[in-house]
Amino acid sequence: MDNEQYINMNPNILVSIVNMKLRDFYSNLNALCDDMNINQEALKEKLNSIGYTYDEDINQFK
């Protein structure tokens, strides 16, 4: 998937996918976004729109 597909995805599904990838494959959000070529600010805004923010300490959106 590319940046546009992630950003246009249903945010409830997106948060599940992103948290799974953070848990299983990436040590932080920067690594995920760099590797997957995702605009980090756009991702944060999309997930913030449904009440999720990134927590660096637990490496997931809550």
Side-chain angles (χ1 to χ4, degrees):
M1 274 193 236
D2 64 17
N3 186 53
E4 182 134 349
Q5 288 173 310
Y6 276 104
I7 298 307
N8 291 325
M9 185 179 290
N10 177 303
N12 293 299
I13 295 170
L14 181 61
V15 73
S16 178
I17 291 170
V18 168
N19 277 339
M20 181 271 305
K21 288 188 178 289
L22 287 168
R23 180 190 69 228
D24 294 345
F25 303 109
Y26 298 98
S27 60
N28 58 54
L29 186 59
N30 289 331
L32 178 141
C33 290
D34 287 345
D35 188 50
M36 301 188 74
N37 197 29
I38 297 173
N39 180 299
Q40 189 172 147
E41 290 309 311
L43 177 62
K44 285 180 173 180
E45 286 177 24
K46 177 84 170 188
L47 296 181
N48 190 40
S49 74
I50 60 167
Y52 285 87
T53 57
Y54 179 65
D55 184 331
E56 289 181 33
D57 294 332
I58 60 172
N59 191 34
Q60 92 177 175
F61 282 88
K62 283 277 207 186

